[in-house]
Amino acid sequence: ELDLFDNAIPIASGATQSFFVTSTKKLVYQVGTEEGAQFVSDDSMVIYEGVGTTGSFAGEPFSPRVFGGIIRYDAHVTKPGSCGDSECDMDENSISCPVDCAGKELETTFDFDRGSDGNMFTVRALRDISVSSFVIN
């Protein structure tokens, strides 16, 4: 598990952000179906299948691969609602209603069959979010 990032990574609603995660202890992931295919989503974001690598921005790419881990984030305004209903609604955000909007997470998979030095994948925000941390295998 990684600590909270020094600066959360904001992703505006409708925007995409790619991440490259690397480790000297090997990352684990599973073979996907198609690079760029949607793997998992919730009401705030979509995580797409990506590639694995044998080094930091170098080495042979392996595609498609599914990031194995959890993305932790805060969700921001998208639809009207009421604080405390377990949904982060449009008039709520991680400050006005932390019980619904702060500390959210989306898990891809911990069911893995491959490993390598790096994994690159893309996230699309369905509402304004701020990525605050990863849990990686």
Side-chain angles (χ1 to χ4, degrees):
E1 181 171 337
L2 300 177
D3 290 332
L4 290 176
F5 300 152
D6 289 339
N7 296 299
I9 301 163
I11 308 172
S13 180
T16 58
Q17 175 70 49
S18 292
F19 293 96
F20 180 70
V21 180
T22 186
S23 173
T24 58
K25 296 181 179 182
K26 300 285 184 196
L27 298 171
V28 293
Y29 44 71
Q30 75 181 93
V31 174
T33 58
E34 180 180 350
E35 184 179 336
Q38 179 177 324
F39 183 73
V40 67
S41 66
D42 64 9
D43 63 345
S44 299
M45 81 167 97
V46 178
I47 301 174
Y48 296 95
E49 296 180 17
V51 299
T53 65
T54 57
S56 297
F57 294 103
E60 184 180 350
F62 300 98
S63 175
R65 296 295 187 263
V66 176
F67 167 71
I70 297 171
I71 298 179
R72 292 192 170 143
Y73 66 95
D74 290 339
H76 306 294
V77 177
T78 60
K79 61 181 180 177
S82 60
C83 188
D85 64 359
S86 300
E87 294 184 17
C88 185
D89 301 309
M90 184 169 41
D91 57 348
E92 301 170 347
N93 60 45
S94 58
I95 296 169
S96 69
C97 187
V99 67
D100 289 349
C101 302
K104 296 186 75 160
E105 57 184 41
L106 181 57
E107 181 176 322
T108 57
T109 181
F110 283 94
D111 180 22
F112 52 86
D113 57 6
R114 299 282 189 278
S116 196
D117 297 329
N119 191 223
M120 188 178 329
F121 60 95
T122 300
V123 168
R124 181 171 51 92
L126 303 176
R127 65 168 75 209
D128 292 346
I129 62 173
S130 297
V131 175
S132 57
S133 182
F134 294 138
V135 176
I136 57 175
N137 269 328

